[in-house]
Structures are given as structure tokens and as C-alpha cells.
Amino acid sequence: MNLIRLAIGWLVGIGLAGSFNVPLPWWLIVATVALVGLPFDRSAQRWLALSVLCCALGGVRFHVAQPLIGPQHIERWADTDRLTLVGYVAEEPRRDDRGQQLVLEATHTRTSERFVMTEGRVLVRVPPYPPYYPGDRLWLEGDLIRPATTQRVGEFDYRAYLARRNIFVLMHRPTVIRQLDKPATYWGIKQISQFREHCRQIILRLLPEPQAALAIGILLGIQAGLPETTRTAFAATGTSHILVVSGWNFSIAAAALAALARLLRLPPWPAFWLSLAIMWIYAGFTGASAAVIRAAMMASLALLARTAERQSEPWRLLLAACWLLTLINPQTLWDLGFQLSALATASLFAFGKPVDYWLGVIRWSCHPVVDAMREALGATLAAQVLTLPLMLYHFGNLSLIAPLANIVIVPVVPFAMLLGGCALLGGLIWLPLGQWLALGAWLPLSWINSVAMLLAEPAWAVVRLPAFPLWLLIVMYVVIGGSWWRWVRDDGQVNAEAVRSSVD
């Protein structure tokens, strides 16, 4: 419990430093005061001082991670005449139906006068073809502009969002795009990205639409090819989470790897290293977003604890993964995908048992199908407790059909993953083999799509709620946290009385 408090203190420090612009000297003063309080004899005071110290170190880490905008930064060329920009693709491009979104690490800039060295990142919008990959060096000509800022308090601030990714300028639809020789060395990331695109092309040849787009989203985490009607249907039914790679995918992958290790009769540690390598290759293969890395870290820590025959406490795994991610990049804390992923996991840990107790009041039929539906409903309701307020704050859409949709869709997803993965593997070996195997994957994918489209049709399936301020979101979480703490306290008292009665 004490280690959990330290991790929470670290995250709170990063959040305060980034939200309220607390200067660095103040964090250093707080850290010094906390160090003075460490020698206290009382354990409670010592742990309080450690928590405050971790909070201060989180604030210091946030300030240290801020980019230094010097005289050679690319932002100085924003809102000027047309210029030439040379740089390399620094991240996995985001592709959609309209084109590609590239993050370009600038190295040189040429104006009407001369070529100069520069630094900084530029967000560039280019046509969908030809595809670009991390490490590709590009020559671009166009106009650099600063992103628009919000006009009203409470609206989404696009400029602040990009600044948290160290991006301060944009280039939309450059007039000249040339790929240069001698791409930057990217340690195999480009090859992984190219292989991911090759797998996407294979799936498109194995399955018809929209089943192919669903398989690409579930297996590869790419949503670019989804038709707008399908994307809207999944959003309306509250099932968009199955179209992205998340912790659930890694739990399924970990279970499959454990079964494979038992089948091959591998010793514990060789099985651990093999599973660890496969999971992290899969994380990089699916784009390595903050949510994916968080899930991979949690799965890796749980696998390590199981291999070392140590008890793994779920809260410690979650907070250790969050601490590692924010230690590497404090701006991860503001990534919405990371927030929803971490909150969904925490919500399952905190409210899984209360929701299961509540569902136990209802009489359920003893049948494997009913058990799977009840498990899906329990997981859906538990995960929604902490994620729903944040989703309402950002999007304002309340899906009334989500519990029913998750009951009938979620149990089918593992079959779609397994059969779709086998079809992809077969297609990589020999295309006709993959096409035969894809016949089995077509059925669960069709079920997922058809049910989502059907349940999204009623006008009452989703309700649009008005926007509400940040303070109301905070109040929601305070009420939820208080309710959970009261339930834990009452449940602990009931368990203690049961133990005493059994002893008596």
C-alpha cells in the first residue's frame, strides 16, 4: 500500500506541474522540505515525507522533460514565406481515408537566402500514397503555420495537445514532396512498420469488407479502413474498444503463450523470455501507443512475478507501469488513450467485485453461454465506472445500448482474434491457405459487425449530453472514490466479523 502511495504521489506531481505551471524552484523547495522530514521516527510521518518527495520529483521530471526552444528551432520559421524543409519521419504515420499524418523531425531548412540547420518536430499532412515509414528522409516545400488555439474556455485546445507531443508547427499539403536517399537509421522500426502494412494488405486479400477492416483493427490496431457507418455504429454501441489493441489483447496473447509453453514443455525462464519477446514485438507491431505500452508493461510485470513465483498485486502492476511510462515521457499522462486504458484497468480492479456481487443477486441460468454473457456484462459495467465520466467530458455521448452490445459482442472477440490471426499467418505463408482459413474468421467478424450495426439503429441507443466543466468531472470522481472507499471499508468489516464468528 505504501508503494502505491508513492506512485500516486509521483503522478500527482506531474499532473500539478503540467496543469498549473508550478515553477521548478517551488518543486525543488518542496523536495528539500520532504528530505528534511525523512529522518522522523514515526513510520506514518516518514511515509508522508516520502510521498511528498515523490510528488516533488514528479514535478521536477515534468520540467526537465520540457523542450528547449532555441534559435534553431523550427518554430521561428512559422507564418513566414514558403520554405523548403528537410527531415525524417520520426513516428509511425497515422493513416486514414484522406491521407497520412506524419511527424517530421526537421534537420535543415532552406529559405530564399540559404540552407540552415534546424531542429524540432513538424506535423505534416500528405496524400495517402506513396506510404511513408519511420526513418524515411523527405524534402518538403510548403507553408509552416502554428496550430489554432481554443477560442473559449473548456474547448479542446489543439495547440496545447500538440505542444504536449513537442510539436509547435504544421505543414498542410506541401506542394513538393520528395523522398531522399540514405534514410535515417531507425533500428528496425521501419521494417516493422513495413511488415505491418504488408499484413494489412494480406488481410484485405483474405476477407471482404467490412470484415477485413474489423480484422485489421482487432489484430493490427489500424482503424483507417473502417467505413464511417461502421465506425459510428461501434461508437454508438460503446464497443469501439474492441477495434484498438489494449490490455485485453495482451491478456489473450499471454494466455495463448502460456498454453503454448505448456504444450512445448518449456522450462519457466526460457518460456518467460520467449513470451516477453513476442509481447514486445507485438506491441511495436501494433504501433506502440501509450495504451499499448502500458498494457505490455503490465503483462510483462505479471509474467515476471508468475515466473519468479512471487505474488503480483494488480494495483502495484498498474501503477508500476504508469510510473515507468511517465518516467520515460511525463507527457504520456495527458494522452487520452492512456487515460482511458489506465482508468478501465483500475475500474476493473476496484469495481469488479462489487459489480459481480450486484449481478449475483439476479438468478442466472447455469449454462456456459450465459456464464460468458454474465462475465462480459460484469466486465463492461465495472470498466465503465471510471471511464464513463471522462468519456462524457470529452465526447458527451452516453450509449444506453452499450451493456447489451458488450454482452453479445465481447465473448466473440477472442474467436475473431484467434481465427483471424491463424488466417493472417496462413496468408503470410501461402495466400490460398490463408483464404481457406479466413472462412472460419469470417463468421465471428460478421457477427460482430452485424450486431453493432443492428443495435446502433434505435434512436435512443445513444444520448447526447451537454458539455460540463472540469470541476464537475472532478466532483464525479470524488463521489465515485468515496463510494468505493466506503464499500471497501464495509466489506472489510464484514469479512472481519465472519472470521471472528468462525473462530468462536
Side-chain angles (χ1 to χ4, degrees):
M1 187 65 181
N2 289 325
L3 294 178
I4 293 176
R5 292 174 182 171
L6 297 182
I8 293 176
W10 169 273
L11 297 175
V12 168
I14 293 177
L16 292 176
S19 300
F20 299 102
N21 296 321
V22 181
L24 178 60
W26 285 101
W27 291 113
L28 296 175
I29 293 173
V30 172
T32 304
V33 173
L35 286 172
V36 173
L38 285 180
F40 284 142
D41 293 335
R42 294 184 180 181
S43 177
Q45 293 176 338
R46 187 182 303 113
W47 279 107
L48 176 61
L50 280 173
S51 300
V52 174
L53 177 61
C54 287
C55 179
L57 291 177
V60 172
R61 177 68 184 98
F62 176 84
H63 281 283
V64 171
Q66 298 308 299
L68 297 176
I69 301 180
Q72 291 183 322
H73 199 275
I74 190 63
E75 189 186 23
R76 65 171 294 199
W77 305 106
D79 302 323
T80 58
D81 295 335
R82 185 178 300 268
L83 55 79
T84 299
L85 183 66
V86 177
Y88 60 90
V89 180
E91 296 180 3
E92 175 75 20
R94 296 185 180 183
R95 300 179 175 89
D96 54 33
D97 300 333
R98 297 172 295 173
Q100 304 174 77
Q101 195 177 74
L102 311 179
V103 176
L104 196 77
E105 188 75 35
T107 58
H108 295 83
T109 300
R110 189 183 74 173
T111 62
S112 57
E113 301 176 356
R114 57 193 176 94
F115 244 120
V116 295
M117 295 184 64
T118 188
E119 59 186 13
R121 294 190 165 194
V122 183
L123 189 66
V124 185
R125 189 78 183 181
V126 299
Y129 295 100
Y132 298 106
Y133 303 98
D136 286 348
R137 292 186 69 243
L138 302 180
W139 173 297
L140 305 176
E141 295 181 12
D143 296 325
L144 285 180
I145 60 173
R146 289 184 174 86
T149 187
T150 181
Q151 299 297 324
R152 291 182 295 179
V153 178
E155 286 186 342
F156 175 69
D157 193 338
Y158 188 52
R159 178 178 293 183
Y161 165 75
L162 291 180
R164 297 195 185 280
R165 298 174 58 192
N166 295 336
I167 300 173
F168 300 94
V169 286
L170 313 172
M171 180 180 284
H172 290 302
R173 298 290 180 179
T175 56
V176 177
I177 306 174
R178 280 193 288 160
Q179 187 167 347
L180 304 177
D181 296 332
K182 297 181 180 180
T185 303
Y186 245 56
W187 295 0
I189 297 179
K190 178 176 181 178
Q191 287 69 28
I192 292 176
S193 181
Q194 289 175 333
F195 181 63
R196 187 187 187 199
E197 177 63 20
H198 177 64
C199 290
R200 188 182 76 88
Q201 295 295 334
I202 290 291
I203 294 176
L204 289 174
R205 298 180 66 181
L206 297 179
L207 291 164
E209 292 291 1
Q211 289 81 6
L214 286 178
I216 291 170
I218 293 173
L219 295 174
L220 308 181
I222 301 174
Q223 301 184 51
L226 277 175
E228 189 61 32
T229 54
T230 303
R231 189 180 288 108
T232 303
F234 277 90
T237 55
T239 52
S240 296
H241 59 91
I242 71 173
L243 301 177
V244 296
V245 177
S246 62
W248 193 36
N249 299 69
F250 279 90
S251 64
I252 296 174
L257 290 171
L260 179 62
R262 288 194 299 268
L263 181 64
L264 298 177
R265 298 182 179 179
L266 293 175
W269 284 106
F272 165 76
W273 291 113
L274 177 63
S275 301
L276 192 69
I278 292 176
M279 281 195 296
W280 281 99
I281 290 174
Y282 181 59
F285 180 69
T286 54
S289 65
V292 169
I293 296 298
R294 195 274 314 161
M297 284 184 175
M298 281 196 65
S300 301
L301 293 172
L303 184 62
L304 176 61
R306 186 166 61 249
T307 305
E309 298 182 351
R310 298 286 298 274
Q311 185 176 5
S312 58
E313 209 278 325
W315 286 105
R316 291 186 180 182
L317 293 179
L318 174 61
L319 289 170
C322 294
W323 175 77
L324 285 172
L325 272 174
T326 52
L327 177 65
I328 297 170
N329 180 14
Q331 300 291 356
T332 303
L333 194 61
W334 284 268
D335 185 278
L336 183 58
F338 167 78
Q339 293 174 0
L340 291 174
S341 175
L343 283 176
T345 306
S347 193
L348 286 171
F349 294 161
F351 297 98
K353 189 175 179 180
V355 170
D356 187 64
Y357 175 80
W358 177 71
L359 291 177
V361 178
I362 305 173
R363 295 188 117 188
W364 299 82
S365 174
C366 296
H367 192 277
V369 175
V370 177
D371 291 340
M373 295 175 65
R374 176 186 171 179
E375 184 179 352
L377 177 61
T380 300
L381 295 177
Q384 289 285 325
V385 176
L386 291 180
T387 58
L388 185 60
L390 187 63
M391 294 180 67
L392 293 178
Y393 175 74
H394 283 285
F395 307 113
N397 292 326
L398 176 61
S399 176
L400 302 179
I401 204 72
L404 176 61
N406 280 272
I407 286 176
V408 294
I409 289 179
V410 167
V412 184
V413 176
F415 298 99
M417 283 185 62
L418 176 62
L419 297 174
C422 291
L424 174 58
L425 182 61
L428 291 171
I429 298 172
W430 187 39
L431 188 61
L433 175 61
Q435 291 172 338
W436 278 103
L437 294 174
L439 295 175
W442 178 87
L443 184 59
L445 291 169
S446 298
W447 172 268
I448 293 171
N449 178 72
S450 300
V451 171
M453 297 293 290
L454 179 65
L455 295 181
E457 287 184 1
W460 51 267
V462 60
V463 177
R464 180 69 182 176
L465 299 181
F468 54 88
L470 178 61
W471 66 263
L472 184 55
L473 176 67
I474 297 174
V475 169
M476 289 182 183
Y477 280 116
V478 170
V479 172
I480 292 173
S483 302
W484 175 74
W485 181 257
R486 181 177 179 182
W487 185 89
V488 170
R489 185 191 60 187
D490 295 343
D491 185 59
Q493 292 176 353
V494 170
N495 291 335
E497 291 177 0
V499 171
R500 284 195 297 268
S501 62
S502 64
V503 172
D504 296 338

